[in-house]
Amino acid sequence: MMNYIWGGMIVISLIVSVFTGRVEQTAAAAVSGAGDAVSLTMSLLGIMCLWTGISKIGEDGGLIRLIAKALRPVLRLVFPKLDPNSKGFGAIVMNVVANLLGMGNAATPLGINAVTELWNANGKRTTATDEMCMFVVLNTASLQLIPSTLISLRQSYGSAAPGEVILPIWICEVCALTAGIVMAKVMSRLSSTEKRLNQCR
Amino acid sequence: MQIVSMFAVPAFIFIFLVSGFVSRIDVYDSFVSGAKSGLTSTFNIIPALIGLMVGIAMFRESGCLELISKALSPLTNLIHMPSEIVPLALLRPVSGSAAIAVVTDIFNNFGPDSLQGKIASVMMGSTETTIYTIAVYFGSVGIKNIRYTLLAALTADLCGIVMSVILGSLI
């Protein structure tokens, strides 16, 4: 998909620039954009490493396992039908912890692992179960506690208070997550009622 | 509001370090090995970021962005969303690096503490790459019928986008 979005964006920009008479500026933007990307990476490098380093301390010291233990009761509410001792549930817990701590690189493989466990438990069918849908919805909403990349980006562009967005982000995350979970629960309820109705007929 | 935001990062670092001391691990060794993995993953995103930042800069400078923002203005005016935020709301669900590129562009032009900068910050921090996540997770096990996943995920996104415009204007 990025194939078409990226390619299309550039081709359309070049065509439109002819009509708006901004060919020169558009060409200049290509050059400066490439340079900006490298300086952006450089300014993010420090905080990314700081954060992955701190996370590793939590991993080696067992703090992450402790957080996972604390999260289990909460996740049982979201996945009431799932056996809390199953492999799938354990994988979900670890994925959510990785998301909370912003360990993006760890979260994706753990998430794939969780979906695979749920899929195995469902007889490898090609239709998603309610648990799979809910789990993917959780992952499409942001759960990150400290948006470290964003804060360092704000800092490198000279913000007077780079961290002042943290609390609004938390409020926003909770609202979006609640909306997603409620929608998923409602839809799952609807589809099971429909199924029952069909069986009666 | 400011106090919680201010103490979030130092409190986090403090808790992690103390937990490391309590369990008697070599915190410095752990830190360095963790930081090393951050180094590789940051360098790995450079090629994608170059491509995307070039694309977005061209899109803005050619006047395309203005045209799309104008076309969507009846909708965005409804929730008082500044037109500069539109590309972020459109690209965020598709690609994380593209969203970072848009945010950088907004910071560059308006500054991180401007209204646009604040809304962009909250939106960037509180949403995820929905479409990509669905594709990766369901694609990994060959699920074909995803049922209501996209609907629920987009509901969450819409709620996040509207809330970030409201909260971004408040701080």
PDB file of all heavy atoms in Angstrom, chain A residues 6 13 20 22 52 60-61 126 128 130 140 150 154 157 159-160 163-164 167 176 191, chain B residues 5 23 30 34 51 59 61-62 104 112-113 118 121 125 128 144-145 147-149 156:
ATOM      1  N   TRP A   6       3.150   6.441  -1.606  1.00  0.00           N
ATOM      2  CA  TRP A   6       4.397   7.197  -1.750  1.00  0.00           C
ATOM      3  C   TRP A   6       4.627   7.622  -3.204  1.00  0.00           C
ATOM      4  O   TRP A   6       4.839   8.802  -3.501  1.00  0.00           O
ATOM      5  CB  TRP A   6       5.584   6.368  -1.241  1.00  0.00           C
ATOM      6  CG  TRP A   6       6.874   7.101  -1.282  1.00  0.00           C
ATOM      7  CD1 TRP A   6       7.257   8.100  -0.436  1.00  0.00           C
ATOM      8  CD2 TRP A   6       7.941   6.913  -2.215  1.00  0.00           C
ATOM      9  NE1 TRP A   6       8.502   8.542  -0.791  1.00  0.00           N
ATOM     10  CE2 TRP A   6       8.947   7.835  -1.874  1.00  0.00           C
ATOM     11  CE3 TRP A   6       8.145   6.057  -3.296  1.00  0.00           C
ATOM     12  CZ2 TRP A   6      10.145   7.925  -2.580  1.00  0.00           C
ATOM     13  CZ3 TRP A   6       9.333   6.148  -3.990  1.00  0.00           C
ATOM     14  CH2 TRP A   6      10.316   7.076  -3.634  1.00  0.00           C
ATOM     15  N   SER A  13       2.378  15.397  -6.954  1.00  0.00           N
ATOM     16  CA  SER A  13       3.014  16.676  -6.583  1.00  0.00           C
ATOM     17  C   SER A  13       3.664  17.315  -7.799  1.00  0.00           C
ATOM     18  O   SER A  13       3.528  18.518  -8.029  1.00  0.00           O
ATOM     19  CB  SER A  13       4.092  16.462  -5.528  1.00  0.00           C
ATOM     20  OG  SER A  13       3.545  15.891  -4.385  1.00  0.00           O
ATOM     21  N   THR A  20       0.433  24.913 -10.577  1.00  0.00           N
ATOM     22  CA  THR A  20       0.489  25.982  -9.574  1.00  0.00           C
ATOM     23  C   THR A  20       1.723  26.865  -9.773  1.00  0.00           C
ATOM     24  O   THR A  20       1.927  27.821  -9.039  1.00  0.00           O
ATOM     25  CB  THR A  20       0.512  25.405  -8.143  1.00  0.00           C
ATOM     26  OG1 THR A  20       1.576  24.440  -8.061  1.00  0.00           O
ATOM     27  CG2 THR A  20      -0.798  24.743  -7.782  1.00  0.00           C
ATOM     28  N   ARG A  22       4.859  26.050  -9.262  1.00  0.00           N
ATOM     29  CA  ARG A  22       5.808  25.910  -8.158  1.00  0.00           C
ATOM     30  C   ARG A  22       6.798  24.774  -8.417  1.00  0.00           C
ATOM     31  O   ARG A  22       7.241  24.099  -7.480  1.00  0.00           O
ATOM     32  CB  ARG A  22       5.046  25.655  -6.852  1.00  0.00           C
ATOM     33  CG  ARG A  22       4.138  26.821  -6.453  1.00  0.00           C
ATOM     34  CD  ARG A  22       3.422  26.520  -5.149  1.00  0.00           C
ATOM     35  NE  ARG A  22       4.350  26.354  -4.046  1.00  0.00           N
ATOM     36  CZ  ARG A  22       4.786  27.357  -3.290  1.00  0.00           C
ATOM     37  NH1 ARG A  22       4.392  28.586  -3.534  1.00  0.00           N
ATOM     38  NH2 ARG A  22       5.616  27.138  -2.305  1.00  0.00           N
ATOM     39  N   THR A  52      15.679   2.485  24.931  1.00  0.00           N
ATOM     40  CA  THR A  52      15.847   1.036  24.805  1.00  0.00           C
ATOM     41  C   THR A  52      16.797   0.534  25.899  1.00  0.00           C
ATOM     42  O   THR A  52      16.649  -0.582  26.387  1.00  0.00           O
ATOM     43  CB  THR A  52      16.393   0.622  23.419  1.00  0.00           C
ATOM     44  OG1 THR A  52      17.506   1.457  23.089  1.00  0.00           O
ATOM     45  CG2 THR A  52      15.341   0.772  22.346  1.00  0.00           C
ATOM     46  N   ASP A  60      15.969  -7.175  32.208  1.00  0.00           N
ATOM     47  CA  ASP A  60      16.946  -8.014  32.913  1.00  0.00           C
ATOM     48  C   ASP A  60      16.646  -8.102  34.403  1.00  0.00           C
ATOM     49  O   ASP A  60      16.906  -9.115  35.037  1.00  0.00           O
ATOM     50  CB  ASP A  60      18.369  -7.454  32.708  1.00  0.00           C
ATOM     51  CG  ASP A  60      18.805  -7.563  31.258  1.00  0.00           C
ATOM     52  OD1 ASP A  60      18.106  -8.262  30.502  1.00  0.00           O
ATOM     53  OD2 ASP A  60      19.824  -6.956  30.886  1.00  0.00           O
ATOM     54  N   GLY A  61      16.123  -7.023  34.974  1.00  0.00           N
ATOM     55  CA  GLY A  61      15.902  -6.993  36.414  1.00  0.00           C
ATOM     56  C   GLY A  61      14.580  -7.612  36.839  1.00  0.00           C
ATOM     57  O   GLY A  61      14.304  -7.749  38.023  1.00  0.00           O
ATOM     58  N   THR A 126      -9.612 -19.500   8.954  1.00  0.00           N
ATOM     59  CA  THR A 126      -9.232 -18.211   8.342  1.00  0.00           C
ATOM     60  C   THR A 126     -10.155 -17.064   8.766  1.00  0.00           C
ATOM     61  O   THR A 126      -9.998 -15.951   8.308  1.00  0.00           O
ATOM     62  CB  THR A 126      -9.234 -18.298   6.803  1.00  0.00           C
ATOM     63  OG1 THR A 126     -10.529 -18.711   6.381  1.00  0.00           O
ATOM     64  CG2 THR A 126      -8.178 -19.259   6.290  1.00  0.00           C
ATOM     65  N   ALA A 128     -11.408 -14.587  11.794  1.00  0.00           N
ATOM     66  CA  ALA A 128     -10.913 -14.118  13.084  1.00  0.00           C
ATOM     67  C   ALA A 128     -11.931 -14.404  14.184  1.00  0.00           C
ATOM     68  O   ALA A 128     -13.133 -14.292  13.964  1.00  0.00           O
ATOM     69  CB  ALA A 128     -10.627 -12.624  13.009  1.00  0.00           C
ATOM     70  N   ASP A 130     -13.458 -13.512  18.135  1.00  0.00           N
ATOM     71  CA  ASP A 130     -13.652 -12.263  18.890  1.00  0.00           C
ATOM     72  C   ASP A 130     -12.375 -11.849  19.606  1.00  0.00           C
ATOM     73  O   ASP A 130     -12.033 -10.672  19.665  1.00  0.00           O
ATOM     74  CB  ASP A 130     -14.774 -12.446  19.913  1.00  0.00           C
ATOM     75  CG  ASP A 130     -16.147 -12.434  19.245  1.00  0.00           C
ATOM     76  OD1 ASP A 130     -16.265 -11.833  18.164  1.00  0.00           O
ATOM     77  OD2 ASP A 130     -17.083 -13.025  19.805  1.00  0.00           O
ATOM     78  N   THR A 140      -4.015  -1.541  17.633  1.00  0.00           N
ATOM     79  CA  THR A 140      -4.142  -0.400  16.716  1.00  0.00           C
ATOM     80  C   THR A 140      -4.362   0.889  17.495  1.00  0.00           C
ATOM     81  O   THR A 140      -4.253   1.969  16.934  1.00  0.00           O
ATOM     82  CB  THR A 140      -5.305  -0.573  15.722  1.00  0.00           C
ATOM     83  OG1 THR A 140      -6.529  -0.605  16.446  1.00  0.00           O
ATOM     84  CG2 THR A 140      -5.156  -1.823  14.897  1.00  0.00           C
ATOM     85  N   LEU A 150       8.475  11.292  20.283  1.00  0.00           N
ATOM     86  CA  LEU A 150       7.782  12.564  20.116  1.00  0.00           C
ATOM     87  C   LEU A 150       8.393  13.639  21.012  1.00  0.00           C
ATOM     88  O   LEU A 150       8.625  14.774  20.583  1.00  0.00           O
ATOM     89  CB  LEU A 150       6.304  12.377  20.452  1.00  0.00           C
ATOM     90  CG  LEU A 150       5.493  13.654  20.357  1.00  0.00           C
ATOM     91  CD1 LEU A 150       5.263  13.998  18.908  1.00  0.00           C
ATOM     92  CD2 LEU A 150       4.192  13.522  21.101  1.00  0.00           C
ATOM     93  N   ARG A 154      10.103  17.122  19.862  1.00  0.00           N
ATOM     94  CA  ARG A 154       9.673  18.444  20.327  1.00  0.00           C
ATOM     95  C   ARG A 154      10.867  19.223  20.873  1.00  0.00           C
ATOM     96  O   ARG A 154      11.031  20.415  20.614  1.00  0.00           O
ATOM     97  CB  ARG A 154       8.604  18.305  21.408  1.00  0.00           C
ATOM     98  CG  ARG A 154       7.234  17.923  20.858  1.00  0.00           C
ATOM     99  CD  ARG A 154       6.251  17.649  21.972  1.00  0.00           C
ATOM    100  NE  ARG A 154       6.028  18.798  22.851  1.00  0.00           N
ATOM    101  CZ  ARG A 154       5.275  19.828  22.546  1.00  0.00           C
ATOM    102  NH1 ARG A 154       4.641  19.855  21.411  1.00  0.00           N
ATOM    103  NH2 ARG A 154       5.144  20.837  23.387  1.00  0.00           N
ATOM    104  N   TYR A 157      13.194  20.607  18.256  1.00  0.00           N
ATOM    105  CA  TYR A 157      12.679  21.773  17.540  1.00  0.00           C
ATOM    106  C   TYR A 157      12.432  22.949  18.477  1.00  0.00           C
ATOM    107  O   TYR A 157      11.677  23.863  18.158  1.00  0.00           O
ATOM    108  CB  TYR A 157      11.419  21.405  16.745  1.00  0.00           C
ATOM    109  CG  TYR A 157      11.799  20.756  15.445  1.00  0.00           C
ATOM    110  CD1 TYR A 157      12.002  19.391  15.364  1.00  0.00           C
ATOM    111  CD2 TYR A 157      12.032  21.519  14.307  1.00  0.00           C
ATOM    112  CE1 TYR A 157      12.405  18.795  14.188  1.00  0.00           C
ATOM    113  CE2 TYR A 157      12.430  20.943  13.129  1.00  0.00           C
ATOM    114  CZ  TYR A 157      12.616  19.580  13.073  1.00  0.00           C
ATOM    115  OH  TYR A 157      13.025  19.003  11.899  1.00  0.00           O
ATOM    116  N   SER A 159      11.090  23.241  21.686  1.00  0.00           N
ATOM    117  CA  SER A 159       9.898  23.447  22.505  1.00  0.00           C
ATOM    118  C   SER A 159      10.297  23.918  23.902  1.00  0.00           C
ATOM    119  O   SER A 159      11.292  23.466  24.471  1.00  0.00           O
ATOM    120  CB  SER A 159       9.117  22.141  22.621  1.00  0.00           C
ATOM    121  OG  SER A 159       8.129  22.252  23.614  1.00  0.00           O
ATOM    122  N   ALA A 160       9.494  24.831  24.474  1.00  0.00           N
ATOM    123  CA  ALA A 160       9.785  25.330  25.817  1.00  0.00           C
ATOM    124  C   ALA A 160       9.441  24.270  26.856  1.00  0.00           C
ATOM    125  O   ALA A 160      10.032  24.220  27.934  1.00  0.00           O
ATOM    126  CB  ALA A 160       8.990  26.605  26.083  1.00  0.00           C
ATOM    127  N   GLY A 163       7.682  18.007  27.380  1.00  0.00           N
ATOM    128  CA  GLY A 163       6.896  16.940  27.985  1.00  0.00           C
ATOM    129  C   GLY A 163       5.470  17.321  28.336  1.00  0.00           C
ATOM    130  O   GLY A 163       4.729  16.509  28.855  1.00  0.00           O
ATOM    131  N   GLU A 164       5.072  18.562  28.052  1.00  0.00           N
ATOM    132  CA  GLU A 164       3.745  18.988  28.517  1.00  0.00           C
ATOM    133  C   GLU A 164       2.590  18.276  27.818  1.00  0.00           C
ATOM    134  O   GLU A 164       1.448  18.381  28.243  1.00  0.00           O
ATOM    135  CB  GLU A 164       3.563  20.510  28.364  1.00  0.00           C
ATOM    136  CG  GLU A 164       3.365  20.949  26.930  1.00  0.00           C
ATOM    137  CD  GLU A 164       3.046  22.436  26.800  1.00  0.00           C
ATOM    138  OE1 GLU A 164       2.742  23.071  27.813  1.00  0.00           O
ATOM    139  OE2 GLU A 164       3.119  22.926  25.668  1.00  0.00           O
ATOM    140  N   LEU A 167       0.317  14.210  29.549  1.00  0.00           N
ATOM    141  CA  LEU A 167      -0.996  13.967  30.159  1.00  0.00           C
ATOM    142  C   LEU A 167      -2.128  14.023  29.131  1.00  0.00           C
ATOM    143  O   LEU A 167      -2.970  13.121  29.101  1.00  0.00           O
ATOM    144  CB  LEU A 167      -1.227  14.918  31.334  1.00  0.00           C
ATOM    145  CG  LEU A 167      -2.451  14.581  32.182  1.00  0.00           C
ATOM    146  CD1 LEU A 167      -2.347  13.213  32.819  1.00  0.00           C
ATOM    147  CD2 LEU A 167      -2.680  15.640  33.249  1.00  0.00           C
ATOM    148  N   ALA A 176      -9.624   6.871  23.180  1.00  0.00           N
ATOM    149  CA  ALA A 176      -9.611   6.120  21.924  1.00  0.00           C
ATOM    150  C   ALA A 176      -9.701   4.624  22.202  1.00  0.00           C
ATOM    151  O   ALA A 176     -10.456   3.901  21.554  1.00  0.00           O
ATOM    152  CB  ALA A 176      -8.342   6.442  21.135  1.00  0.00           C
ATOM    153  N   SER A 191     -22.902  -9.898  16.533  1.00  0.00           N
ATOM    154  CA  SER A 191     -22.697 -11.027  15.625  1.00  0.00           C
ATOM    155  C   SER A 191     -23.109 -12.338  16.283  1.00  0.00           C
ATOM    156  O   SER A 191     -23.573 -13.246  15.616  1.00  0.00           O
ATOM    157  CB  SER A 191     -21.246 -11.079  15.136  1.00  0.00           C
ATOM    158  OG  SER A 191     -20.401 -11.429  16.188  1.00  0.00           O
TER     159      SER A 191
ATOM    160  N   SER B   5       2.800  15.666  33.799  1.00  0.00           N
ATOM    161  CA  SER B   5       3.599  15.565  32.578  1.00  0.00           C
ATOM    162  C   SER B   5       5.084  15.706  32.882  1.00  0.00           C
ATOM    163  O   SER B   5       5.921  15.010  32.313  1.00  0.00           O
ATOM    164  CB  SER B   5       3.178  16.650  31.588  1.00  0.00           C
ATOM    165  OG  SER B   5       1.871  16.425  31.136  1.00  0.00           O
ATOM    166  N   SER B  23      17.094  -6.022  42.178  1.00  0.00           N
ATOM    167  CA  SER B  23      17.312  -7.403  41.733  1.00  0.00           C
ATOM    168  C   SER B  23      18.783  -7.683  41.450  1.00  0.00           C
ATOM    169  O   SER B  23      19.125  -8.713  40.882  1.00  0.00           O
ATOM    170  CB  SER B  23      16.446  -7.712  40.514  1.00  0.00           C
ATOM    171  OG  SER B  23      16.532  -6.661  39.591  1.00  0.00           O
ATOM    172  N   SER B  30      23.323  -3.730  31.348  1.00  0.00           N
ATOM    173  CA  SER B  30      22.009  -3.876  30.724  1.00  0.00           C
ATOM    174  C   SER B  30      21.701  -2.657  29.876  1.00  0.00           C
ATOM    175  O   SER B  30      21.239  -2.767  28.742  1.00  0.00           O
ATOM    176  CB  SER B  30      20.916  -4.005  31.787  1.00  0.00           C
ATOM    177  OG  SER B  30      20.976  -5.234  32.409  1.00  0.00           O
ATOM    178  N   GLY B  34      21.089  -2.613  25.856  1.00  0.00           N
ATOM    179  CA  GLY B  34      19.791  -2.158  25.350  1.00  0.00           C
ATOM    180  C   GLY B  34      19.945  -0.985  24.399  1.00  0.00           C
ATOM    181  O   GLY B  34      19.314  -0.930  23.347  1.00  0.00           O
ATOM    182  N   GLY B  51      12.831   8.710   2.066  1.00  0.00           N
ATOM    183  CA  GLY B  51      11.807   8.633   1.026  1.00  0.00           C
ATOM    184  C   GLY B  51      10.563   9.405   1.396  1.00  0.00           C
ATOM    185  O   GLY B  51      10.040  10.196   0.607  1.00  0.00           O
ATOM    186  N   PHE B  59       4.996  17.277  -1.654  1.00  0.00           N
ATOM    187  CA  PHE B  59       3.541  17.371  -1.633  1.00  0.00           C
ATOM    188  C   PHE B  59       3.099  18.730  -1.100  1.00  0.00           C
ATOM    189  O   PHE B  59       2.199  19.365  -1.623  1.00  0.00           O
ATOM    190  CB  PHE B  59       3.002  16.256  -0.737  1.00  0.00           C
ATOM    191  CG  PHE B  59       1.579  15.882  -1.013  1.00  0.00           C
ATOM    192  CD1 PHE B  59       1.241  15.284  -2.206  1.00  0.00           C
ATOM    193  CD2 PHE B  59       0.592  16.113  -0.074  1.00  0.00           C
ATOM    194  CE1 PHE B  59      -0.079  14.921  -2.465  1.00  0.00           C
ATOM    195  CE2 PHE B  59      -0.721  15.756  -0.323  1.00  0.00           C
ATOM    196  CZ  PHE B  59      -1.057  15.161  -1.525  1.00  0.00           C
ATOM    197  N   GLU B  61       5.045  21.606  -0.895  1.00  0.00           N
ATOM    198  CA  GLU B  61       5.538  22.737  -1.691  1.00  0.00           C
ATOM    199  C   GLU B  61       4.820  22.881  -3.036  1.00  0.00           C
ATOM    200  O   GLU B  61       4.691  23.963  -3.566  1.00  0.00           O
ATOM    201  CB  GLU B  61       7.046  22.602  -1.922  1.00  0.00           C
ATOM    202  CG  GLU B  61       7.884  23.055  -0.750  1.00  0.00           C
ATOM    203  CD  GLU B  61       7.594  24.499  -0.329  1.00  0.00           C
ATOM    204  OE1 GLU B  61       7.508  25.371  -1.215  1.00  0.00           O
ATOM    205  OE2 GLU B  61       7.446  24.749   0.884  1.00  0.00           O
ATOM    206  N   SER B  62       4.318  21.753  -3.592  1.00  0.00           N
ATOM    207  CA  SER B  62       3.672  21.834  -4.901  1.00  0.00           C
ATOM    208  C   SER B  62       2.285  22.464  -4.809  1.00  0.00           C
ATOM    209  O   SER B  62       1.710  22.847  -5.819  1.00  0.00           O
ATOM    210  CB  SER B  62       3.547  20.437  -5.506  1.00  0.00           C
ATOM    211  OG  SER B  62       2.673  19.666  -4.720  1.00  0.00           O
ATOM    212  N   THR B 104       7.280  16.441  11.844  1.00  0.00           N
ATOM    213  CA  THR B 104       8.510  17.221  11.716  1.00  0.00           C
ATOM    214  C   THR B 104       8.283  18.441  10.842  1.00  0.00           C
ATOM    215  O   THR B 104       8.753  19.549  11.144  1.00  0.00           O
ATOM    216  CB  THR B 104       9.616  16.355  11.072  1.00  0.00           C
ATOM    217  OG1 THR B 104       9.656  15.118  11.760  1.00  0.00           O
ATOM    218  CG2 THR B 104      10.963  17.024  11.172  1.00  0.00           C
ATOM    219  N   PRO B 112       6.987  23.622  17.711  1.00  0.00           N
ATOM    220  CA  PRO B 112       6.277  22.612  18.496  1.00  0.00           C
ATOM    221  C   PRO B 112       5.287  23.190  19.506  1.00  0.00           C
ATOM    222  O   PRO B 112       4.387  22.499  19.948  1.00  0.00           O
ATOM    223  CB  PRO B 112       7.410  21.854  19.202  1.00  0.00           C
ATOM    224  CG  PRO B 112       8.595  22.728  19.117  1.00  0.00           C
ATOM    225  CD  PRO B 112       8.438  23.595  17.919  1.00  0.00           C
ATOM    226  N   ASP B 113       5.447  24.460  19.879  1.00  0.00           N
ATOM    227  CA  ASP B 113       4.550  25.031  20.891  1.00  0.00           C
ATOM    228  C   ASP B 113       3.390  25.820  20.287  1.00  0.00           C
ATOM    229  O   ASP B 113       2.603  26.427  21.012  1.00  0.00           O
ATOM    230  CB  ASP B 113       5.346  25.917  21.859  1.00  0.00           C
ATOM    231  CG  ASP B 113       6.316  25.091  22.683  1.00  0.00           C
ATOM    232  OD1 ASP B 113       5.995  23.920  22.960  1.00  0.00           O
ATOM    233  OD2 ASP B 113       7.395  25.599  23.035  1.00  0.00           O
ATOM    234  N   LYS B 118       1.043  21.591  18.888  1.00  0.00           N
ATOM    235  CA  LYS B 118       0.504  20.876  20.051  1.00  0.00           C
ATOM    236  C   LYS B 118      -0.501  19.813  19.630  1.00  0.00           C
ATOM    237  O   LYS B 118      -0.470  18.686  20.116  1.00  0.00           O
ATOM    238  CB  LYS B 118      -0.165  21.865  21.016  1.00  0.00           C
ATOM    239  CG  LYS B 118       0.851  22.621  21.853  1.00  0.00           C
ATOM    240  CD  LYS B 118       0.180  23.655  22.710  1.00  0.00           C
ATOM    241  CE  LYS B 118       1.199  24.366  23.577  1.00  0.00           C
ATOM    242  NZ  LYS B 118       0.612  25.522  24.254  1.00  0.00           N
ATOM    243  N   SER B 121       1.314  16.976  18.129  1.00  0.00           N
ATOM    244  CA  SER B 121       2.007  16.181  19.149  1.00  0.00           C
ATOM    245  C   SER B 121       1.058  15.197  19.812  1.00  0.00           C
ATOM    246  O   SER B 121       1.364  14.013  19.946  1.00  0.00           O
ATOM    247  CB  SER B 121       2.592  17.083  20.235  1.00  0.00           C
ATOM    248  OG  SER B 121       3.518  17.980  19.689  1.00  0.00           O
ATOM    249  N   GLY B 125       1.179  11.128  19.432  1.00  0.00           N
ATOM    250  CA  GLY B 125       1.458  10.310  20.607  1.00  0.00           C
ATOM    251  C   GLY B 125       0.341   9.359  20.976  1.00  0.00           C
ATOM    252  O   GLY B 125       0.573   8.345  21.614  1.00  0.00           O
ATOM    253  N   GLU B 128      -2.045   5.079  16.602  1.00  0.00           N
ATOM    254  CA  GLU B 128      -1.113   4.062  16.107  1.00  0.00           C
ATOM    255  C   GLU B 128      -1.298   3.863  14.611  1.00  0.00           C
ATOM    256  O   GLU B 128      -2.243   4.393  14.023  1.00  0.00           O
ATOM    257  CB  GLU B 128      -1.364   2.747  16.835  1.00  0.00           C
ATOM    258  CG  GLU B 128      -0.359   2.440  17.945  1.00  0.00           C
ATOM    259  CD  GLU B 128       1.038   2.193  17.426  1.00  0.00           C
ATOM    260  OE1 GLU B 128       1.184   1.749  16.270  1.00  0.00           O
ATOM    261  OE2 GLU B 128       2.000   2.457  18.168  1.00  0.00           O
ATOM    262  N   LYS B 144      -8.464 -14.369   6.723  1.00  0.00           N
ATOM    263  CA  LYS B 144      -9.036 -13.663   5.575  1.00  0.00           C
ATOM    264  C   LYS B 144     -10.241 -12.830   5.968  1.00  0.00           C
ATOM    265  O   LYS B 144     -10.472 -11.754   5.437  1.00  0.00           O
ATOM    266  CB  LYS B 144      -9.427 -14.672   4.491  1.00  0.00           C
ATOM    267  CG  LYS B 144      -8.181 -15.313   3.893  1.00  0.00           C
ATOM    268  CD  LYS B 144      -8.431 -15.861   2.506  1.00  0.00           C
ATOM    269  CE  LYS B 144      -7.151 -16.409   1.915  1.00  0.00           C
ATOM    270  NZ  LYS B 144      -6.732 -17.672   2.576  1.00  0.00           N
ATOM    271  N   ASN B 145     -11.044 -13.358   6.920  1.00  0.00           N
ATOM    272  CA  ASN B 145     -12.220 -12.614   7.355  1.00  0.00           C
ATOM    273  C   ASN B 145     -11.904 -11.910   8.670  1.00  0.00           C
ATOM    274  O   ASN B 145     -11.852 -12.554   9.725  1.00  0.00           O
ATOM    275  CB  ASN B 145     -13.393 -13.596   7.512  1.00  0.00           C
ATOM    276  CG  ASN B 145     -14.675 -12.883   7.878  1.00  0.00           C
ATOM    277  OD1 ASN B 145     -14.686 -11.668   8.083  1.00  0.00           O
ATOM    278  ND2 ASN B 145     -15.750 -13.639   7.969  1.00  0.00           N
ATOM    279  N   ARG B 147     -13.699  -9.615  10.080  1.00  0.00           N
ATOM    280  CA  ARG B 147     -14.964  -9.219  10.718  1.00  0.00           C
ATOM    281  C   ARG B 147     -14.974  -7.720  11.071  1.00  0.00           C
ATOM    282  O   ARG B 147     -14.696  -6.906  10.202  1.00  0.00           O
ATOM    283  CB  ARG B 147     -15.235 -10.101  11.915  1.00  0.00           C
ATOM    284  CG  ARG B 147     -15.435 -11.560  11.464  1.00  0.00           C
ATOM    285  CD  ARG B 147     -15.441 -12.510  12.618  1.00  0.00           C
ATOM    286  NE  ARG B 147     -16.579 -12.300  13.493  1.00  0.00           N
ATOM    287  CZ  ARG B 147     -16.560 -12.601  14.793  1.00  0.00           C
ATOM    288  NH1 ARG B 147     -15.475 -13.084  15.342  1.00  0.00           N
ATOM    289  NH2 ARG B 147     -17.631 -12.403  15.534  1.00  0.00           N
ATOM    290  N   TYR B 148     -15.220  -7.390  12.339  1.00  0.00           N
ATOM    291  CA  TYR B 148     -15.420  -5.973  12.674  1.00  0.00           C
ATOM    292  C   TYR B 148     -14.144  -5.253  13.110  1.00  0.00           C
ATOM    293  O   TYR B 148     -14.201  -4.139  13.612  1.00  0.00           O
ATOM    294  CB  TYR B 148     -16.474  -5.857  13.774  1.00  0.00           C
ATOM    295  CG  TYR B 148     -16.173  -6.742  14.971  1.00  0.00           C
ATOM    296  CD1 TYR B 148     -15.265  -6.355  15.949  1.00  0.00           C
ATOM    297  CD2 TYR B 148     -16.782  -7.986  15.108  1.00  0.00           C
ATOM    298  CE1 TYR B 148     -14.976  -7.159  17.019  1.00  0.00           C
ATOM    299  CE2 TYR B 148     -16.493  -8.817  16.182  1.00  0.00           C
ATOM    300  CZ  TYR B 148     -15.592  -8.390  17.132  1.00  0.00           C
ATOM    301  OH  TYR B 148     -15.291  -9.195  18.194  1.00  0.00           O
ATOM    302  N   THR B 149     -12.970  -5.892  12.922  1.00  0.00           N
ATOM    303  CA  THR B 149     -11.738  -5.300  13.445  1.00  0.00           C
ATOM    304  C   THR B 149     -11.497  -3.884  12.916  1.00  0.00           C
ATOM    305  O   THR B 149     -11.232  -2.962  13.689  1.00  0.00           O
ATOM    306  CB  THR B 149     -10.523  -6.170  13.078  1.00  0.00           C
ATOM    307  OG1 THR B 149     -10.800  -7.507  13.446  1.00  0.00           O
ATOM    308  CG2 THR B 149      -9.280  -5.682  13.782  1.00  0.00           C
ATOM    309  N   ALA B 156     -11.824   3.886  17.162  1.00  0.00           N
ATOM    310  CA  ALA B 156     -10.841   4.334  18.138  1.00  0.00           C
ATOM    311  C   ALA B 156     -10.001   5.482  17.568  1.00  0.00           C
ATOM    312  O   ALA B 156      -9.754   6.484  18.241  1.00  0.00           O
ATOM    313  CB  ALA B 156      -9.942   3.174  18.548  1.00  0.00           C
TER     314      ALA B 156
END
